[in-house]
Amino acid sequence: MQKKYLIGNWKMYKTVQEAIIFMQQLLPQLQAIDTRPLALSIAPSFVHLSTIAALIDDYKSIQLVAQNCHHETEGAFTGEVSAAMLAAIGVGGVLIGHSERRSYQKEDNLLLAKKIKRVLEVGMQPLLCCGESLEARRSGRHKAMVQQQLLESLVGLTPKEIEQLGIAYEPVWAIGTGQVASLEVIIEMHTLIREILSDQCEGAKVPILYGGSCNAQNVKAIFDAPNVAGGLIGSASLKVDQFMKIVIALLGKDGTGHR
Ligand code: PEP
């Protein structure tokens, strides 16, 4: 069975001390259950990656994901972090084009295509985020918007390269709002994304994740939906007990599926 992705996106939260305490509390709880059905990752701030890498060194079933990287390999780009720097400290994947970066840093699809290339070049998995705004959904342009995001961000990639990606469908109106997308919407959009990918490569190989107000109550039904390979968890990944409730909702108390 394919492992389900479960990625905690910490955004710009937690000092390094808070991050250490979180991991010190989380790891023993994960070790007590069988987490093999999950591909678990934490996406902390850049400055915590090395510290957390050292903490999870003995615990191979949790991976590190970065929240961003620069689109050039190296150079005079003060304040930036390259894909190679991330790969060198054991990061396995990079979020590309999270809606907060599209909105606040004005990242566009063509820039994201370059970032994806850099991430692939150093052997990490790009996790390309896409998703429509509330305005696009209200005006019925949601499918066109997601299609454009995907096609423009995949420009210049070979089918084999596209098969290395993960896609996260995260409707902007569902992120951090408590307004989770309905199963109907999730299934419809994931099916669309699968179709778009299948025109570009062997689409079935690309995991499609959902993100937007997932919590312990709704996560199991979402992750079990067709074409959903797991999800990105923002707010509900910030507290150990809430994050563990999500893990237990997916796996059961002992990892066997029994609750
Ligand atoms: C996210 O930011 O990727 C996310 C899914 O956030 P939240 O779970 O808080 O909606």
Side-chain angles (χ1 to χ4, degrees):
M1 222 180 68
Q2 277 300 102
K3 285 177 187 271
K4 294 277 179 181
Y5 285 72
L6 181 62
I7 304 175
N9 175 15
W10 284 358
K11 312 191 185 204
M12 198 177 74
Y13 290 105
K14 294 191 189 299
T15 62
V16 73
Q17 289 83 1
E18 289 164 345
I20 291 170
I21 291 170
F22 182 101
M23 295 310 293
Q24 285 171 340
Q25 291 176 352
L26 180 74
L27 292 178
Q29 294 187 57
L30 291 177
Q31 270 155 344
I33 59 174
D34 180 4
T35 58
R36 278 175 300 177
L38 296 178
L40 262 167
S41 301
I42 296 288
S45 153
F46 284 138
V47 293
H48 304 339
L49 285 166
S50 290
T51 307
I52 297 182
L55 290 175
I56 62 177
D57 201 30
D58 294 336
Y59 191 78
K60 299 289 175 218
S61 46
I62 189 156
Q63 298 280 320
L64 275 178
V65 163
Q67 297 176 17
N68 176 41
C69 71
H70 197 260
H71 61 278
E72 296 289 350
T73 47
E74 63 179 2
F77 301 105
T78 302
E80 297 293 342
V81 174
S82 74
M85 291 171 185
L86 297 171
I89 55 167
V91 171
V94 184
L95 301 183
I96 300 290
H98 189 283
S99 72
E100 287 150 15
R101 297 200 59 83
R102 288 177 187 264
S103 148
Y104 302 128
Q105 270 70 39
K106 307 285 173 242
E107 292 191 351
D108 63 26
N109 299 325
L110 300 178
L111 179 83
L112 303 181
K114 292 183 192 161
K115 292 190 182 211
I116 290 172
K117 275 269 184 201
R118 300 292 87 77
V119 172
L120 287 171
E121 278 163 9
V122 291
M124 297 185 294
Q125 183 180 32
L127 297 153
L128 173 65
C129 304
C130 60
E132 77 280 6
S133 60
L134 183 59
E135 192 200 2
R137 177 151 287 273
R138 283 194 173 142
S139 61
R141 289 184 297 108
H142 48 288
K143 289 187 178 176
M145 186 171 183
V146 168
Q147 181 167 30
Q148 185 177 7
Q149 287 173 339
L150 286 177
L151 293 182
E152 289 185 2
S153 308
L154 300 179
V155 160
L157 297 178
T158 66
K160 286 275 161 279
E161 285 175 327
I162 297 173
E163 287 161 16
Q164 310 300 310
L165 266 68
I167 305 290
Y169 169 62
E170 301 202 291
V172 176
W173 46 269
I175 295 181
T177 59
Q179 202 190 327
V180 66
S182 67
L183 283 180
E184 198 185 355
V185 164
I186 295 172
I187 293 168
E188 181 191 41
M189 296 305 285
H190 281 230
T191 305
L192 171 78
I193 293 168
R194 179 73 70 217
E195 284 165 11
I196 296 167
L197 291 169
S198 297
D199 287 341
Q200 306 287 318
C201 66
E202 209 177 311
K205 290 193 171 163
V206 183
I208 307 171
L209 284 60
Y210 168 79
S213 297
C214 274
N215 58 37
Q217 283 70 48
N218 59 33
V219 72
K220 176 88 173 114
I222 294 172
F223 280 34
D224 283 347
N227 279 320
V228 178
L232 265 170
I233 315 289
S235 331
S237 72
L238 291 172
K239 294 213 170 99
V240 179
D241 60 334
Q242 280 185 37
F243 192 57
M244 273 311 294
K245 277 186 188 156
I246 289 177
V247 172
I248 301 292
L250 293 167
L251 295 178
K253 277 196 170 41
D254 50 8
T256 60
H258 298 299
R259 268 163 216 104

